[in-house]
Amino acid sequence: MEKTPLDSNIERATGIRRVIAAFRYSMQGLVRLWQEEAFRHEVVASAAAIVVFAIVGAGALDYFVLAILMLVLFAVESLNTAIEELVDRISPEISTVGRHAKDLGSFAVFCLLCANGFFVVYVVAGSLWG
C-alpha cells in the first residue's frame, strides 16, 4: 500500500521553522506565478493604477482598497493557475470537466479584473468630476 503524506517519516517543521518553510513555499509559488504572462500583465496594471492614483490625487483609503483588490486578484490568479496545472496533469486529454474547471477559474479572475477596473474608474472619475 502506498504511503500518504500523513504516513511519511519526514519530520514536519514546527515553530519558527514552519513559518520560514511556509514563506519559502510562498515565494516558490510567486516565482512559478511570475512565469504566467497574465500575472505579469496584472502586476503592470497594478503599477499603472498606482501611477494614475498619484496623478489624480487619490486618498490613502483609495490606495488601501486598491492594494486589497490587487492582492485578492493575485490570489485568485494563483488559484486559477493551480487549477490549470492540476487539470493538465490529471487529465491531459481534452475533457468537458477539465474545460469547465479551467473556464470557471478564468471567470473568477475576470470578475476580479472587472472589480479592479471599476474601482479605478470610480476613483479617477470622482477625482476629476467630484
Side-chain angles (χ1 to χ4, degrees):
M1 180 191 278
E2 186 176 331
K3 287 189 173 189
T4 67
L6 295 177
D7 298 330
S8 169
N9 293 332
I10 298 173
E11 184 180 330
R12 296 178 63 90
T14 58
I16 191 68
R17 286 183 16 182
R18 184 178 181 126
V19 172
I20 292 168
F23 178 78
R24 188 176 70 246
Y25 301 145
S26 295
M27 292 305 100
Q28 290 170 348
L30 177 60
V31 167
R32 168 58 189 92
L33 191 59
W34 188 255
Q35 296 170 7
E36 294 293 317
E37 185 176 8
F39 176 68
R40 293 192 306 271
H41 288 167
E42 292 160 1
V43 170
V44 168
S46 299
I50 291 169
V51 170
V52 169
F53 276 26
I55 291 169
V56 300
L61 182 60
D62 296 328
Y63 283 100
F64 179 73
V65 172
L66 179 67
I68 297 299
L69 284 171
M70 289 299 175
L71 288 172
V72 173
L73 174 62
F74 297 160
V76 171
E77 184 67 53
S78 299
L79 294 172
N80 182 48
T81 300
I83 289 167
E84 290 177 352
E85 287 210 356
L86 285 172
V87 167
D88 290 345
R89 170 79 170 135
I90 293 169
S91 179
E93 72 283 347
I94 305 277
S95 73
T96 303
V97 174
R99 183 174 48 84
H100 287 171
K102 288 182 169 188
D103 290 348
L104 289 166
S106 179
F107 180 68
V109 171
F110 174 76
C111 289
L112 260 297
L113 287 169
C114 289
N116 281 276
F118 292 151
F119 182 69
V120 169
V121 168
Y122 169 79
V123 170
V124 170
S127 295
L128 297 177
W129 295 290

